[in-house]
């Protein structure tokens, strides 16, 4: 194994080898997080990345109450019948980059890291993408295509809420996206523009001028993005500490709140990101309702 690679990649390569040679067969349990820590002497966050990477590659699956098992489709390598390596294409590179960013965060994304995951040379990637800047644009456009731009429901508020929840769900699936989204320098990709056009339709026909319409859309979208920026940091913190946010609050923060009566009265899960998102979205829509409906009521 290449000693210059991150430790978790070396462990992934070893477990991949055990599966390929039949030492671990479909249905066998793979080492647990605790066993990986004991065998390789790594941190819990590293062990978590190992299992997450194997799941992303489709080599293992989680069986509730049992553990992590070798997936049924993970066929052993018996030598000459080894499965051929898929052709390197732009789509395959983009999908690999998205998978890495989803599991490891956008900070881990590099052409070398992608090449390692695809088992190709880094230089071969440049035959399909010009560099990281183009790759990020392609990644963004690809994940934005996941959003179903269906006919919105009646009522501007319901339509704006739908756009916000659609974006929130997308950030949950791809936490790195919030870090790479800009409203002052938006990426000129087909799916980004289609989503913006779809979102602006929520306030079309209300008598607002185009500048106000786009400001309403960006205000809501920027609120969602601003909250979603915390998703990646939350995931990284959980990997590094081995604790969820609530477990960290329970062990490190709540015991020190006793002398602060207001803080100590906060119910559990009050700082959960989904809870914060729900509260903020409703208050934002309340404010926009006053802004949009007050002038219209005067005209009636």
């Amino acid at each position: 194994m290449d000693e210059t690679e991150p430790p978790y990649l070396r462990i992934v390569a070893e477990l991949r080898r055990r599966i390929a040679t039949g030492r671990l067969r479909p249905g066998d349990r793979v080492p647990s997080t605790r066993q990986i820590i004991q065998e390789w002497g790594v941190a819990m966050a590293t062990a978590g990345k190992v299992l997450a990477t194997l799941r992303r590659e489709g080599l293992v699956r989680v069986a509730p109450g049992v553990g992590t098992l070798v997936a049924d489709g993970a066929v052993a390598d018996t030598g000459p019948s080894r499965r051929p390596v898929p052709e390197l294409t732009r789509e395959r590179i983009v999908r690999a980059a998205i998978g890495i960013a989803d599991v490891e965060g956008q900070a881990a994304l590099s052409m070398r890291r992608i090449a390692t995951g695809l088992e190709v040379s880094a230089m071969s990637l440049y035959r399909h993408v010009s560099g990281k800047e183009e790759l990020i644009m392609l990644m963004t456009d690809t994940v934005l295509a996941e959003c179903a731009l269906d006919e919105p429901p009646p009522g501007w508020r319901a339509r704006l809420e739908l756009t916000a929840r659609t974006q929130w769900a997308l950030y949950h699936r791809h936490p790195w996206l919030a870090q790479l989204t800009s409203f002052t320098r938006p990426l000129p990709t087909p799916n980004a523009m289609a989503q913006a056009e779809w979102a602006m339709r929520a306030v079309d026909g209300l008598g607002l001028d185009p500048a106000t319409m786009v400001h309403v859309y960006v205000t809501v979208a920027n609120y969602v993005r601003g909250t979603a920026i915390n998703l990646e940091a939350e995931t990284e913190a959980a990997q590094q500490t081995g604790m969820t946010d609530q477990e960290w609050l329970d062990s490190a923060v709540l015991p020190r709140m006793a002398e602060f009566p207001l803080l100590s009265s906060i119910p559990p899960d009050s700082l959960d990101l989904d809870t914060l998102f729900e509260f903020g979205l409703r208050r934002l829509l309340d404010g926009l309702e006053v802004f949009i409906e007050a002038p219209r009521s005067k005209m009636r």
Side-chain angles (χ1 to χ4, degrees):
M1 292 182 287
D2 185 355
E3 293 297 326
T4 64
E5 289 182 342
Y8 87 95
L9 284 181
R10 298 201 297 271
I11 301 170
V12 166
E14 170 58 20
L15 293 177
R16 193 189 291 127
R17 185 190 66 79
R18 294 180 188 181
I19 295 171
T21 59
R23 182 174 170 185
L24 288 173
R25 298 180 178 277
D28 288 351
R29 292 183 63 177
V30 300
S32 65
T33 301
R34 185 178 299 277
Q35 290 170 331
I36 291 173
I37 293 171
Q38 293 174 344
E39 182 173 350
W40 281 280
V42 295
M44 182 176 292
T46 300
K49 283 186 177 182
V50 170
L51 296 179
T53 301
L54 291 172
R55 286 197 302 272
R56 176 170 53 81
E57 293 180 355
L59 294 175
V60 302
R61 61 183 176 86
V62 177
V66 178
T68 302
L69 310 179
V70 178
D72 293 339
V75 182
D77 176 10
T78 57
S81 61
R82 183 175 182 178
R83 182 179 59 185
V85 177
E87 178 186 0
L88 187 63
T89 62
R90 173 180 284 195
E91 181 181 2
R92 188 166 168 240
I93 293 169
V94 172
R95 288 294 179 186
I98 292 170
I100 291 168
D102 286 349
V103 174
E104 304 168 34
Q106 60 93 16
L109 195 64
S110 68
M111 302 301 274
R112 180 180 178 185
R113 171 66 189 88
I114 297 166
T116 299
L118 292 172
E119 298 182 344
V120 299
S121 68
M123 291 305 298
S124 66
L125 302 181
Y126 291 98
R127 293 198 296 268
H128 303 275
V129 293
S130 61
K132 190 174 179 180
E133 184 175 345
E134 182 187 12
L135 179 62
I136 287 174
M137 185 176 296
L138 293 169
M139 291 169 61
T140 301
D141 199 54
T142 298
V143 299
L144 286 175
E146 298 174 11
C147 297
L149 306 185
D150 299 325
E151 187 63 28
W156 68 264
R157 178 163 178 149
R159 292 195 292 265
L160 272 183
E161 183 173 346
L162 175 62
T163 64
R165 294 190 184 284
T166 299
Q167 293 164 358
W168 182 246
L170 185 65
Y171 288 133
H172 258 294
R173 292 195 299 273
H174 308 288
W176 51 270
L177 182 61
Q179 300 283 353
L180 301 178
T181 299
S182 171
F183 292 106
T184 56
R185 295 189 178 186
L187 294 176
T189 69
N191 287 312
M193 290 187 284
Q195 188 178 96
E197 180 79 7
W198 177 71
M200 286 182 65
R201 286 172 55 197
V203 291
D204 189 24
L206 300 179
L208 304 176
D209 61 81
T212 303
M213 289 171 61
V214 75
H215 285 167
V216 169
Y217 154 63
V218 170
T219 296
V220 174
N222 200 41
Y223 163 72
V224 179
R225 172 188 174 272
T227 308
I229 282 178
N230 298 283
L231 289 169
E232 188 172 44
E234 183 181 74
T235 301
E236 290 177 354
Q239 290 178 342
Q240 291 171 2
T241 63
M243 295 187 292
T244 65
D245 281 359
Q246 190 59 47
E247 290 171 339
W248 182 80
L249 285 171
D250 291 342
S251 63
V253 179
L254 294 182
R256 302 184 182 183
M257 285 186 176
E259 59 184 292
F260 301 98
L262 293 179
L263 289 176
S264 60
S265 68
I266 297 174
D269 300 327
S270 296
L271 296 180
D272 173 79
L273 282 178
D274 286 306
T275 301
L276 295 172
F277 168 76
E278 291 292 339
F279 179 87
L281 177 61
R282 295 186 185 282
R283 302 296 80 76
L284 179 58
L285 292 175
D286 289 344
L288 286 173
E289 185 167 358
V290 174
F291 173 76
I292 291 173
E293 295 296 339
R296 297 178 73 201
S297 63
K298 293 179 181 179
M299 297 174 61
R300 292 172 187 150

